[in-house]
Amino acid sequence: MTCAEFQQALPFIIDGGGDAKYEQHLKECTICADLVSDLRYIAEQAKLLVPMEDPSPRVWTGIERSLTREGLVKPAQARRGLLGPKLIWIIAPLVLAGVTIYLLAR
Ligand SMILES: [Zn+2]
């Protein structure tokens, strides 16, 4: 089995559905083994992102200040609540998806 064949079946394998031939490739190939362990780690971390409760308002104020300081948002935008608690939970999974795509494209 080639790495390309293995990686085509990745979503299936990461869900724990890999059969013997995939397991064999995983044992022999460090590149694919690293990839699978990275992706499983990301999937685990993504689960932790589900907020149990909203972080303290100080967190949002701190993020807002950093973004304003970096020039990523104008103070007026920040004050309108551009980076509200809801938005950050939309952005976080998108960032994770980006990391996942980056790892898959490596
Ligand atoms: Zn491989």
Side-chain angles (χ1 to χ4, degrees), residues 8-92:
Q8 271 182 351
L10 260 181
F12 177 64
I13 294 161
I14 286 167
D15 279 344
D19 62 19
K21 65 182 177 191
Y22 296 116
E23 288 298 321
Q24 189 60 35
H25 184 81
L26 210 51
K27 277 181 204 152
E28 292 166 355
C29 179
T30 53
I31 294 166
C32 292
D34 284 351
L35 184 62
V36 167
S37 78
D38 284 352
L39 290 174
R40 281 188 177 145
Y41 175 75
I42 290 167
E44 281 305 306
Q45 295 304 305
K47 285 179 197 161
L48 300 178
L49 277 179
V50 176
M52 302 307 276
E53 58 186 87
D54 272 354
S56 117
R58 277 191 3 223
V59 174
W60 305 121
T61 309
I63 293 171
E64 235 175 58
R65 259 192 230 127
S66 304
L67 290 176
T68 306
R69 199 171 49 231
E70 303 286 328
L72 294 172
V73 294
K74 295 188 180 101
Q77 279 180 311
R79 256 183 264 123
R80 278 203 306 266
L82 179 76
L83 199 78
K86 294 268 174 0
L87 189 63
I88 202 74
W89 295 115
I90 293 169
I91 290 171

